[in-house]
């Protein structure tokens, strides 16, 4: 098995995470962030299972966002084997659900969008694309419920669903179907990755924010600003995580560059962004080491 496209947090998830620590997101954005995080966590859990149990010859492509002829579709995970593409829509739902005449709802009654409907569309769009390229592959598509606390009443045995208890066996079984990969498999995988779009106009955008409204200071990944900073390291008083000053600064600089791509990165902007909590010279040293310097003296900025 070879992973040819790794999973990474989406820009939107990274951005919402940054903003969540430094400002109060409204309820809709907060709920959206929680769902994105939950989804990402579930996908990562699947990746771990793939790495553990998929040993046969196969190419793994994670997180594809493809636009073809005005149709946009997203694939959480795709496994390319000699003659079959295994398509997975990963859902990290928790709790008790029921299926009634193609409608998915919580057992409490609240309806949610049925991922099987979405899967059918994705499968069809992928089928068309593969056909346009003159290739022929069987496509086996499944919704994969990754969370072990997820229960679905009234599901049919023929529904394209893999439950958390079945994933390991499904992957082991997949190994037995893996034959030697052909050039065509690599060609297909490369073409799919070429079509991948980083960002989409159809995706939700970050809420508007203003630098003055954001809390400055150095912040831990857990969201706490309560850090003890020494010469070389920093330590979070809430989650006890320890980081070197270098790691802390690199994270803060990345965050600043992400949130304010138009602004120049200088020692003093970063110093201010870090709430003047880190030695000025240390900041300059990190900027000089990790970025390119332009300009002179007080006008020096980094990219
Ligand atoms: Zn922490």
């Amino acid at each position: 098995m070879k992973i040819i496209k790794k999973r990474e947090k989406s820009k939107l998830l990274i951005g919402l995470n940054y903003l969540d620590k430094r400002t109060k997101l409204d309820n809709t954005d907060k709920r959206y962030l929680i769902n994105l995080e939950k989804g990402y966590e579930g996908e990562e859990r699947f990746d771990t299972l793939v790495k553990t149990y998929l040993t046969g010859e196969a190419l793994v492509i994670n997180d594809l966002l493809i636009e073809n002829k005005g149709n946009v579709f997203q694939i959480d995970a795709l496994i390319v084997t000699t003659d079959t593409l295994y398509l997975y829509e990963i859902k990290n739902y928790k709790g008790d659900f029921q299926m009634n005449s193609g409608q998915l709802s919580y057992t409490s009654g609240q309806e949610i969008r049925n991922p099987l409907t979405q899967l059918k569309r994705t499968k069809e769009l992928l089928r068309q694309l593969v056909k346009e390229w003159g290739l022929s592959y069987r496509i086996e598509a499944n919704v994969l419920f990754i969370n072990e606390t997820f229960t679905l009443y009234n599901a049919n045995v023929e529904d394209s669903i893999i439950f958390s208890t079945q994933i390991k066996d499904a992957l082991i079984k997949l190994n037995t179907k893996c034959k030697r990969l052909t050039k065509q498999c690599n060609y297909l995988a490369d073409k799919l990755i070429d079509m991948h779009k980083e960002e989409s106009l159809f995706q939700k955008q970050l809420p508007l924010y203003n630098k003055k409204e954001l809390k400055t200071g150095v912040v831990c990944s857990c969201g706490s600003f309560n850090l003890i900073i020494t010469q070389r390291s920093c330590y979070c008083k809430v989650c006890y995580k320890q980081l070197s000053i270098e790691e802390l600064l690199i994270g803060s600089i990345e965050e600043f560059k992400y949130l304010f791509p138009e602004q120049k990165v200088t020692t003093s902007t970063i110093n201010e962004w870090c709430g003047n909590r880190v030695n000025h010279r240390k900041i300059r040293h990190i900027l000089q080491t990790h970025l390119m310097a332009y300009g002179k003296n007080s006008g020096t900025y980094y990219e």
Side-chain angles (χ1 to χ4, degrees), residues 53-75:
Y53 298 110
L54 186 64
T55 50
E57 270 199 49
L59 303 173
V60 180
I61 310 174
N62 293 310
D63 243 346
L64 280 173
L65 181 68
I66 288 176
E67 189 181 351
N68 187 33
K69 296 182 176 159
N71 288 308
V72 179
F73 62 103
Q74 198 169 349
I75 295 174

PDB file of all heavy atoms in Angstrom, residues 53-75:
ATOM      1  N   TYR A  53      -3.919  -2.258   8.343  1.00  0.00           N
ATOM      2  CA  TYR A  53      -4.446  -3.499   7.771  1.00  0.00           C
ATOM      3  C   TYR A  53      -4.343  -3.632   6.257  1.00  0.00           C
ATOM      4  O   TYR A  53      -4.478  -4.731   5.725  1.00  0.00           O
ATOM      5  CB  TYR A  53      -5.914  -3.692   8.192  1.00  0.00           C
ATOM      6  CG  TYR A  53      -6.050  -3.812   9.681  1.00  0.00           C
ATOM      7  CD1 TYR A  53      -6.643  -2.808  10.431  1.00  0.00           C
ATOM      8  CD2 TYR A  53      -5.545  -4.932  10.352  1.00  0.00           C
ATOM      9  CE1 TYR A  53      -6.735  -2.908  11.813  1.00  0.00           C
ATOM     10  CE2 TYR A  53      -5.630  -5.038  11.729  1.00  0.00           C
ATOM     11  CZ  TYR A  53      -6.229  -4.025  12.456  1.00  0.00           C
ATOM     12  OH  TYR A  53      -6.312  -4.134  13.816  1.00  0.00           O
ATOM     13  N   LEU A  54      -4.156  -2.518   5.553  1.00  0.00           N
ATOM     14  CA  LEU A  54      -4.074  -2.640   4.102  1.00  0.00           C
ATOM     15  C   LEU A  54      -2.618  -2.880   3.712  1.00  0.00           C
ATOM     16  O   LEU A  54      -1.791  -1.965   3.730  1.00  0.00           O
ATOM     17  CB  LEU A  54      -4.617  -1.374   3.422  1.00  0.00           C
ATOM     18  CG  LEU A  54      -4.719  -1.422   1.907  1.00  0.00           C
ATOM     19  CD1 LEU A  54      -5.722  -2.476   1.451  1.00  0.00           C
ATOM     20  CD2 LEU A  54      -5.121  -0.068   1.336  1.00  0.00           C
ATOM     21  N   THR A  55      -2.321  -4.124   3.372  1.00  0.00           N
ATOM     22  CA  THR A  55      -0.928  -4.467   3.086  1.00  0.00           C
ATOM     23  C   THR A  55      -0.728  -4.815   1.610  1.00  0.00           C
ATOM     24  O   THR A  55       0.396  -4.894   1.136  1.00  0.00           O
ATOM     25  CB  THR A  55      -0.493  -5.683   3.936  1.00  0.00           C
ATOM     26  OG1 THR A  55      -1.489  -6.700   3.765  1.00  0.00           O
ATOM     27  CG2 THR A  55      -0.391  -5.326   5.405  1.00  0.00           C
ATOM     28  N   GLY A  56      -1.817  -5.033   0.882  1.00  0.00           N
ATOM     29  CA  GLY A  56      -1.728  -5.404  -0.529  1.00  0.00           C
ATOM     30  C   GLY A  56      -1.291  -4.234  -1.406  1.00  0.00           C
ATOM     31  O   GLY A  56      -1.169  -3.101  -0.931  1.00  0.00           O
ATOM     32  N   GLU A  57      -1.062  -4.528  -2.686  1.00  0.00           N
ATOM     33  CA  GLU A  57      -0.655  -3.452  -3.612  1.00  0.00           C
ATOM     34  C   GLU A  57      -1.844  -2.556  -3.927  1.00  0.00           C
ATOM     35  O   GLU A  57      -2.798  -2.979  -4.575  1.00  0.00           O
ATOM     36  CB  GLU A  57      -0.121  -4.061  -4.906  1.00  0.00           C
ATOM     37  CG  GLU A  57       1.370  -4.302  -4.831  1.00  0.00           C
ATOM     38  CD  GLU A  57       2.001  -4.468  -6.197  1.00  0.00           C
ATOM     39  OE1 GLU A  57       1.742  -3.628  -7.090  1.00  0.00           O
ATOM     40  OE2 GLU A  57       2.734  -5.449  -6.371  1.00  0.00           O
ATOM     41  N   ALA A  58      -1.769  -1.335  -3.464  1.00  0.00           N
ATOM     42  CA  ALA A  58      -2.855  -0.390  -3.696  1.00  0.00           C
ATOM     43  C   ALA A  58      -2.332   1.028  -3.522  1.00  0.00           C
ATOM     44  O   ALA A  58      -1.324   1.242  -2.852  1.00  0.00           O
ATOM     45  CB  ALA A  58      -3.979  -0.650  -2.708  1.00  0.00           C
ATOM     46  N   LEU A  59      -3.013   1.972  -4.158  1.00  0.00           N
ATOM     47  CA  LEU A  59      -2.655   3.374  -3.993  1.00  0.00           C
ATOM     48  C   LEU A  59      -3.767   4.054  -3.193  1.00  0.00           C
ATOM     49  O   LEU A  59      -4.945   3.845  -3.472  1.00  0.00           O
ATOM     50  CB  LEU A  59      -2.527   4.053  -5.359  1.00  0.00           C
ATOM     51  CG  LEU A  59      -1.536   3.419  -6.332  1.00  0.00           C
ATOM     52  CD1 LEU A  59      -1.643   4.076  -7.705  1.00  0.00           C
ATOM     53  CD2 LEU A  59      -0.111   3.556  -5.791  1.00  0.00           C
ATOM     54  N   VAL A  60      -3.366   4.822  -2.202  1.00  0.00           N
ATOM     55  CA  VAL A  60      -4.367   5.482  -1.365  1.00  0.00           C
ATOM     56  C   VAL A  60      -4.329   6.988  -1.617  1.00  0.00           C
ATOM     57  O   VAL A  60      -3.275   7.609  -1.543  1.00  0.00           O
ATOM     58  CB  VAL A  60      -4.108   5.185   0.132  1.00  0.00           C
ATOM     59  CG1 VAL A  60      -5.149   5.867   1.004  1.00  0.00           C
ATOM     60  CG2 VAL A  60      -4.100   3.684   0.374  1.00  0.00           C
ATOM     61  N   ILE A  61      -5.493   7.539  -1.940  1.00  0.00           N
ATOM     62  CA  ILE A  61      -5.593   8.983  -2.170  1.00  0.00           C
ATOM     63  C   ILE A  61      -6.611   9.532  -1.183  1.00  0.00           C
ATOM     64  O   ILE A  61      -7.752   9.096  -1.147  1.00  0.00           O
ATOM     65  CB  ILE A  61      -6.076   9.289  -3.605  1.00  0.00           C
ATOM     66  CG1 ILE A  61      -5.248   8.513  -4.627  1.00  0.00           C
ATOM     67  CG2 ILE A  61      -6.011  10.776  -3.885  1.00  0.00           C
ATOM     68  CD1 ILE A  61      -5.761   8.662  -6.053  1.00  0.00           C
ATOM     69  N   ASN A  62      -6.171  10.482  -0.367  1.00  0.00           N
ATOM     70  CA  ASN A  62      -7.081  11.047   0.622  1.00  0.00           C
ATOM     71  C   ASN A  62      -7.544  12.426   0.202  1.00  0.00           C
ATOM     72  O   ASN A  62      -6.794  13.178  -0.419  1.00  0.00           O
ATOM     73  CB  ASN A  62      -6.379  11.140   1.974  1.00  0.00           C
ATOM     74  CG  ASN A  62      -6.084   9.765   2.528  1.00  0.00           C
ATOM     75  OD1 ASN A  62      -6.974   8.914   2.585  1.00  0.00           O
ATOM     76  ND2 ASN A  62      -4.835   9.535   2.893  1.00  0.00           N
ATOM     77  N   ASP A  63      -8.787  12.730   0.582  1.00  0.00           N
ATOM     78  CA  ASP A  63      -9.261  14.097   0.475  1.00  0.00           C
ATOM     79  C   ASP A  63      -9.138  14.721  -0.903  1.00  0.00           C
ATOM     80  O   ASP A  63      -8.274  15.556  -1.143  1.00  0.00           O
ATOM     81  CB  ASP A  63      -8.402  14.949   1.411  1.00  0.00           C
ATOM     82  CG  ASP A  63      -9.231  15.556   2.496  1.00  0.00           C
ATOM     83  OD1 ASP A  63     -10.457  15.538   2.365  1.00  0.00           O
ATOM     84  OD2 ASP A  63      -8.635  16.042   3.461  1.00  0.00           O
ATOM     85  N   LEU A  64      -9.973  14.323  -1.797  1.00  0.00           N
ATOM     86  CA  LEU A  64      -9.953  14.921  -3.131  1.00  0.00           C
ATOM     87  C   LEU A  64     -11.144  15.851  -3.271  1.00  0.00           C
ATOM     88  O   LEU A  64     -12.254  15.524  -2.851  1.00  0.00           O
ATOM     89  CB  LEU A  64     -10.062  13.833  -4.200  1.00  0.00           C
ATOM     90  CG  LEU A  64      -8.824  13.045  -4.568  1.00  0.00           C
ATOM     91  CD1 LEU A  64      -9.213  11.909  -5.508  1.00  0.00           C
ATOM     92  CD2 LEU A  64      -7.783  13.953  -5.237  1.00  0.00           C
ATOM     93  N   LEU A  65     -10.894  17.003  -3.865  1.00  0.00           N
ATOM     94  CA  LEU A  65     -11.990  17.910  -4.186  1.00  0.00           C
ATOM     95  C   LEU A  65     -11.891  18.154  -5.689  1.00  0.00           C
ATOM     96  O   LEU A  65     -10.915  18.713  -6.163  1.00  0.00           O
ATOM     97  CB  LEU A  65     -11.827  19.221  -3.414  1.00  0.00           C
ATOM     98  CG  LEU A  65     -12.915  20.254  -3.648  1.00  0.00           C
ATOM     99  CD1 LEU A  65     -14.239  19.782  -3.073  1.00  0.00           C
ATOM    100  CD2 LEU A  65     -12.525  21.573  -2.988  1.00  0.00           C
ATOM    101  N   ILE A  66     -12.886  17.661  -6.403  1.00  0.00           N
ATOM    102  CA  ILE A  66     -12.789  17.685  -7.852  1.00  0.00           C
ATOM    103  C   ILE A  66     -13.949  18.431  -8.475  1.00  0.00           C
ATOM    104  O   ILE A  66     -15.105  18.307  -8.036  1.00  0.00           O
ATOM    105  CB  ILE A  66     -12.691  16.237  -8.388  1.00  0.00           C
ATOM    106  CG1 ILE A  66     -11.303  15.685  -8.053  1.00  0.00           C
ATOM    107  CG2 ILE A  66     -12.942  16.162  -9.899  1.00  0.00           C
ATOM    108  CD1 ILE A  66     -11.075  14.262  -8.408  1.00  0.00           C
ATOM    109  N   GLU A  67     -13.646  19.234  -9.486  1.00  0.00           N
ATOM    110  CA  GLU A  67     -14.695  19.918 -10.222  1.00  0.00           C
ATOM    111  C   GLU A  67     -14.604  19.457 -11.661  1.00  0.00           C
ATOM    112  O   GLU A  67     -13.548  19.531 -12.285  1.00  0.00           O
ATOM    113  CB  GLU A  67     -14.500  21.432 -10.136  1.00  0.00           C
ATOM    114  CG  GLU A  67     -15.672  22.174 -10.706  1.00  0.00           C
ATOM    115  CD  GLU A  67     -15.499  23.678 -10.653  1.00  0.00           C
ATOM    116  OE1 GLU A  67     -14.547  24.167 -10.032  1.00  0.00           O
ATOM    117  OE2 GLU A  67     -16.335  24.340 -11.293  1.00  0.00           O
ATOM    118  N   ASN A  68     -15.704  18.933 -12.166  1.00  0.00           N
ATOM    119  CA  ASN A  68     -15.716  18.492 -13.555  1.00  0.00           C
ATOM    120  C   ASN A  68     -17.024  18.918 -14.204  1.00  0.00           C
ATOM    121  O   ASN A  68     -18.095  18.567 -13.729  1.00  0.00           O
ATOM    122  CB  ASN A  68     -15.541  16.965 -13.613  1.00  0.00           C
ATOM    123  CG  ASN A  68     -15.373  16.467 -15.036  1.00  0.00           C
ATOM    124  OD1 ASN A  68     -14.798  17.150 -15.882  1.00  0.00           O
ATOM    125  ND2 ASN A  68     -15.907  15.290 -15.318  1.00  0.00           N
ATOM    126  N   LYS A  69     -16.903  19.696 -15.241  1.00  0.00           N
ATOM    127  CA  LYS A  69     -18.078  20.180 -15.974  1.00  0.00           C
ATOM    128  C   LYS A  69     -19.134  20.791 -15.051  1.00  0.00           C
ATOM    129  O   LYS A  69     -20.313  20.464 -15.123  1.00  0.00           O
ATOM    130  CB  LYS A  69     -18.689  19.036 -16.782  1.00  0.00           C
ATOM    131  CG  LYS A  69     -17.734  18.531 -17.851  1.00  0.00           C
ATOM    132  CD  LYS A  69     -18.371  17.447 -18.664  1.00  0.00           C
ATOM    133  CE  LYS A  69     -17.425  17.038 -19.780  1.00  0.00           C
ATOM    134  NZ  LYS A  69     -17.716  15.718 -20.292  1.00  0.00           N
ATOM    135  N   GLY A  70     -18.677  21.628 -14.150  1.00  0.00           N
ATOM    136  CA  GLY A  70     -19.614  22.325 -13.268  1.00  0.00           C
ATOM    137  C   GLY A  70     -20.078  21.523 -12.060  1.00  0.00           C
ATOM    138  O   GLY A  70     -20.771  22.038 -11.198  1.00  0.00           O
ATOM    139  N   ASN A  71     -19.707  20.253 -11.989  1.00  0.00           N
ATOM    140  CA  ASN A  71     -20.070  19.461 -10.813  1.00  0.00           C
ATOM    141  C   ASN A  71     -18.878  19.348  -9.866  1.00  0.00           C
ATOM    142  O   ASN A  71     -17.782  19.005 -10.293  1.00  0.00           O
ATOM    143  CB  ASN A  71     -20.480  18.039 -11.223  1.00  0.00           C
ATOM    144  CG  ASN A  71     -21.831  18.025 -11.903  1.00  0.00           C
ATOM    145  OD1 ASN A  71     -22.805  18.562 -11.368  1.00  0.00           O
ATOM    146  ND2 ASN A  71     -21.895  17.443 -13.087  1.00  0.00           N
ATOM    147  N   VAL A  72     -19.141  19.649  -8.608  1.00  0.00           N
ATOM    148  CA  VAL A  72     -18.067  19.537  -7.621  1.00  0.00           C
ATOM    149  C   VAL A  72     -18.345  18.328  -6.738  1.00  0.00           C
ATOM    150  O   VAL A  72     -19.476  18.119  -6.307  1.00  0.00           O
ATOM    151  CB  VAL A  72     -18.017  20.801  -6.729  1.00  0.00           C
ATOM    152  CG1 VAL A  72     -16.919  20.685  -5.676  1.00  0.00           C
ATOM    153  CG2 VAL A  72     -17.775  22.030  -7.589  1.00  0.00           C
ATOM    154  N   PHE A  73     -17.344  17.516  -6.525  1.00  0.00           N
ATOM    155  CA  PHE A  73     -17.520  16.412  -5.579  1.00  0.00           C
ATOM    156  C   PHE A  73     -16.265  16.169  -4.767  1.00  0.00           C
ATOM    157  O   PHE A  73     -15.165  16.510  -5.185  1.00  0.00           O
ATOM    158  CB  PHE A  73     -18.006  15.130  -6.276  1.00  0.00           C
ATOM    159  CG  PHE A  73     -17.065  14.568  -7.318  1.00  0.00           C
ATOM    160  CD1 PHE A  73     -16.273  13.454  -7.026  1.00  0.00           C
ATOM    161  CD2 PHE A  73     -16.995  15.116  -8.584  1.00  0.00           C
ATOM    162  CE1 PHE A  73     -15.424  12.920  -7.988  1.00  0.00           C
ATOM    163  CE2 PHE A  73     -16.144  14.594  -9.549  1.00  0.00           C
ATOM    164  CZ  PHE A  73     -15.355  13.496  -9.258  1.00  0.00           C
ATOM    165  N   GLN A  74     -16.523  15.629  -3.583  1.00  0.00           N
ATOM    166  CA  GLN A  74     -15.440  15.454  -2.636  1.00  0.00           C
ATOM    167  C   GLN A  74     -15.324  13.975  -2.272  1.00  0.00           C
ATOM    168  O   GLN A  74     -16.333  13.305  -2.077  1.00  0.00           O
ATOM    169  CB  GLN A  74     -15.776  16.264  -1.395  1.00  0.00           C
ATOM    170  CG  GLN A  74     -14.586  16.507  -0.532  1.00  0.00           C
ATOM    171  CD  GLN A  74     -14.884  17.531   0.560  1.00  0.00           C
ATOM    172  OE1 GLN A  74     -15.909  18.196   0.537  1.00  0.00           O
ATOM    173  NE2 GLN A  74     -13.978  17.629   1.507  1.00  0.00           N
ATOM    174  N   ILE A  75     -14.094  13.507  -2.194  1.00  0.00           N
ATOM    175  CA  ILE A  75     -13.878  12.103  -1.835  1.00  0.00           C
ATOM    176  C   ILE A  75     -13.024  12.060  -0.573  1.00  0.00           C
ATOM    177  O   ILE A  75     -11.939  12.629  -0.539  1.00  0.00           O
ATOM    178  CB  ILE A  75     -13.170  11.351  -2.995  1.00  0.00           C
ATOM    179  CG1 ILE A  75     -14.090  11.298  -4.225  1.00  0.00           C
ATOM    180  CG2 ILE A  75     -12.751   9.940  -2.562  1.00  0.00           C
ATOM    181  CD1 ILE A  75     -13.430  10.705  -5.465  1.00  0.00           C
TER     182      ILE A  75
END
